[in-house]
Amino acid sequence: MQKIQVGVVGTGFIGPAHIEALRRLPNVEVVALCEVSQELAETKAAQLGIPRAYTFDELLKQDDIQSIHICTPNFLHYSQSKAALLAGKHVICEKPLAKDLHEAEELVQLAKKSGLVNAVHFNLRYYPLVRQMKVMREKGELGDVYSIIGSYLQDWLFYETDYNWRLEPDKSGDSRAIADIGSHLMDIIEYVTGLKTTAVLADFNTIHKTRKKPLKPVETYSGKMLQPDDYADVPINTEDHANVLLRFDNGNRGVVTVSQVSAGRKNQLKLEISGAKKTFAFDSESPNQLWMGNRDGYNQTVTDDPSLVHAEVRSVIGFPGGHNEGFPDTSKQMFKEVYAAIEAGKQPENPTYPTFADGYRELLICERILESNKSQSWVNV
C-alpha cells in the first residue's frame, strides 16, 4: 500500500501529539519535520524518530509530501496554511485558523478554490460520547434545546510565574483563554446541538495583571529554584478568566465560563445541555461516561461501549466497552476521517471533520466575544 507522506510543522506540545496520532493510521507516514532552523529541525526529528528535517520553505518544495500539519504558534497559521495550499498540499491546521476574520476568510476561499483537503484541529468533537450526544439530538432524543451550561477550566497559568508565548498578543492574538480553549467549547456546543450562536455578552478578567517571564528558556531551570533576578515583569492584557452569556437561533439561552487559573482543573471541558426530553452532561476528564437526566424516570449513565451507542458513533470508537479511550484517541479518530478524504484526493462535499469553514465560524464567535467584553454590551454574531 502506498502510504500518504506527511510533514509536520512545529514541535511544541501539539506537534508531537499530531505525530503520535498519525502513526496509528495504516495509510499515513510522517516522513518530515519542520522547525524554525535546520539545526533545531534535525535535533527534533532525531528525538521523534522522523527521517527528514527541513525549514518551512524547504519542506514545501518536497514533491512527495502530500499533506502538511500546521502546529506552530497562532500568528503563523495563516501564512503557513496559505503557502502550503499554494504549494498544492492538503492542510490540517491547529486552531485558531488565523489571527483575524479577513485572513480566515481568505484561507476558506483559497481552500475551496483549490479543492484540497482542509481541516482545523477541533479534535474534542471526537470523544465518542460527544458524537453520541450529536446523533441522539439528530434522532430527536434530546428534544428542543432549552439551555446550555458549559465550562472549560485549566490551571496551567495559575501562578504569576507561569509563562508561555500564548500570553503575548503578537503571537497568540488579542484573546487568550477564549481563543485557546473557549473555541473548543463553542465549537462543540454548535456541533452537538445544531444551533447557531446569534449574540454574546462577555465579561473578562485578568487575574495576574503582571506576570514574571523567565529571562532564559524554562528548560534551563528544570529542577532548580528561580531567583528574582531570573525574571522580567511583563504586563498582561489578555484574559485569564471569562464569562459569556449566549443567545441561540432557537430563541433560548446559554452560559459558558472559561478559565486558565482554576487550581486542580488540568484540562476539563464540561457541557450540560437541557432539552425538552432529557439533559445531557459530559465531562472531558471522565470522557467514557455520558450522564442523561430524566424528569419522570431514572437518570442514566451511558459508556462508550460500541455495542450500546448508536451505529453512527461506532466508527470513532477503537476498543471494546470498558477499555477507556481519551485525549490522544480524539486526534487519531479525526485524522482517520481526514486521511480518508486525502486518499480520495479532494475535500468531500459534506465533510464529517471540522474544516477551514468551521475555523472561520469559531474565529467569528471569538471576535464577537472580544468585542462584547470591550463594549460591555450584547454583540450580535
Side-chain angles (χ1 to χ4, degrees):
M1 179 176 63
Q2 185 67 36
K3 293 190 177 185
I4 299 164
Q5 307 287 286
V6 180
V8 175
V9 186
T11 59
F13 158 68
I14 205 64
H18 280 236
I19 292 166
E20 190 274 338
L22 289 166
R23 282 174 164 162
R24 297 168 68 189
L25 301 182
N27 61 335
V28 174
E29 184 178 9
V30 182
V31 297
L33 192 66
C34 167
E35 259 297 350
V36 292
S37 69
Q38 184 64 30
E39 181 182 14
L40 182 59
E42 289 173 2
T43 298
K44 292 290 186 177
Q47 291 173 355
L48 294 166
I50 295 172
R52 294 151 61 185
Y54 300 104
T55 57
F56 184 71
D57 290 343
E58 289 302 312
L59 176 67
L60 295 188
K61 295 176 184 177
Q62 308 307 308
D63 292 337
D64 63 323
I65 293 177
Q66 299 160 259
S67 176
I68 301 287
H69 285 242
I70 307 296
C71 303
T72 48
N74 300 355
F75 74 102
L76 293 170
H77 292 178
Y78 161 73
S79 61
Q80 291 181 337
S81 294
K82 180 178 179 178
L85 287 171
L86 291 173
K89 313 294 187 185
H90 305 289
V91 179
I92 296 86
C93 184
E94 265 303 321
K95 48 82 198 160
L97 178 59
K99 282 186 66 180
D100 62 53
L101 288 172
H102 174 74
E103 289 182 348
E105 174 64 20
E106 184 182 346
L107 289 177
V108 170
Q109 295 304 319
L110 180 60
K112 183 178 180 180
K113 183 179 178 181
S114 73
L116 293 162
V117 171
N118 60 91
V120 175
H121 193 227
F122 285 122
N123 59 304
L124 302 191
R125 289 186 184 190
Y126 283 81
Y127 283 116
L129 293 175
V130 169
R131 184 165 288 191
Q132 174 71 4
M133 289 189 287
K134 172 183 170 63
V135 172
M136 290 182 71
R137 186 269 303 169
E138 290 173 339
K139 291 179 178 292
E141 297 173 37
L142 174 65
D144 186 37
V145 175
Y146 286 173
S147 69
I148 298 170
I149 302 169
S151 63
Y152 202 146
L153 309 179
Q154 297 177 331
D155 72 355
W156 70 286
L157 291 172
F158 181 73
Y159 295 115
E160 66 173 0
T161 51
D162 291 326
Y163 202 86
N164 180 271
W165 61 262
R166 290 178 175 84
L167 292 156
E168 300 173 4
D170 63 326
K171 295 184 178 66
S172 66
D174 292 333
S175 171
R176 186 200 344 133
I178 284 290
D180 185 21
I181 55 177
S183 57
H184 275 297
L185 183 58
M186 299 305 300
D187 177 71
I188 280 183
I189 286 172
E190 293 197 342
Y191 174 71
V192 170
T193 66
L195 299 177
K196 293 295 184 184
T197 306
T198 59
V200 295
L201 177 62
D203 191 28
F204 290 2
N205 191 22
T206 304
I207 303 296
H208 298 300
K209 295 177 175 57
T210 301
R211 286 182 179 266
K212 296 187 178 298
K213 180 179 181 178
L215 295 173
K216 295 180 180 180
V218 173
E219 291 81 7
T220 303
Y221 298 103
S222 181
K224 301 177 182 178
M225 293 296 293
L226 289 160
Q227 302 302 315
D229 289 346
D230 295 325
Y231 294 106
D233 287 342
V234 175
I236 301 299
N237 302 309
T238 53
E239 75 280 4
D240 291 314
H241 178 278
N243 297 310
V244 188
L245 297 177
L246 307 170
R247 291 176 179 167
F248 299 104
D249 59 356
N250 72 343
N252 290 329
R253 307 292 197 265
V255 60
V256 296
T257 295
V258 177
S259 174
Q260 293 176 319
V261 290
S262 295
R265 295 300 186 194
K266 303 306 177 185
N267 188 52
Q268 183 195 56
L269 182 151
K270 289 185 73 173
L271 185 61
E272 186 155 321
I273 305 169
S274 295
K277 296 182 179 180
K278 59 178 78 244
T279 294
F280 297 154
F282 175 79
D283 178 349
S284 71
E285 289 191 344
S286 302
N288 297 278
Q289 293 186 329
L290 170 65
W291 182 89
M292 294 191 296
N294 299 292
R295 167 65 189 266
D296 297 319
Y298 294 116
N299 296 333
Q300 300 164 282
T301 300
V302 176
T303 64
D304 61 349
D305 185 328
S307 69
L308 301 176
V309 300
H310 284 305
E312 296 90 336
V313 181
R314 292 171 192 155
S315 66
V316 296
I317 301 177
F319 299 95
H323 297 77
N324 288 345
E325 297 182 54
F327 179 83
D329 299 285
T330 62
S331 294
K332 170 199 165 184
Q333 297 296 349
M334 177 180 160
F335 295 159
K336 184 170 70 176
E337 293 184 350
V338 171
Y339 277 88
I342 291 175
E343 199 161 44
K346 63 179 182 177
Q347 186 87 340
E349 189 171 333
N350 295 299
T352 53
Y353 50 84
T355 66
F356 279 15
D358 295 300
Y360 175 87
R361 173 69 187 170
E362 295 321 305
L363 194 62
L364 171 64
I365 295 172
C366 289
E367 289 216 356
R368 296 297 180 260
I369 290 172
L370 192 61
E371 289 175 27
S372 174
N373 176 68
K374 289 177 179 177
S375 65
Q376 289 291 285
S377 62
W378 282 96
V379 171
N380 292 329
V381 176

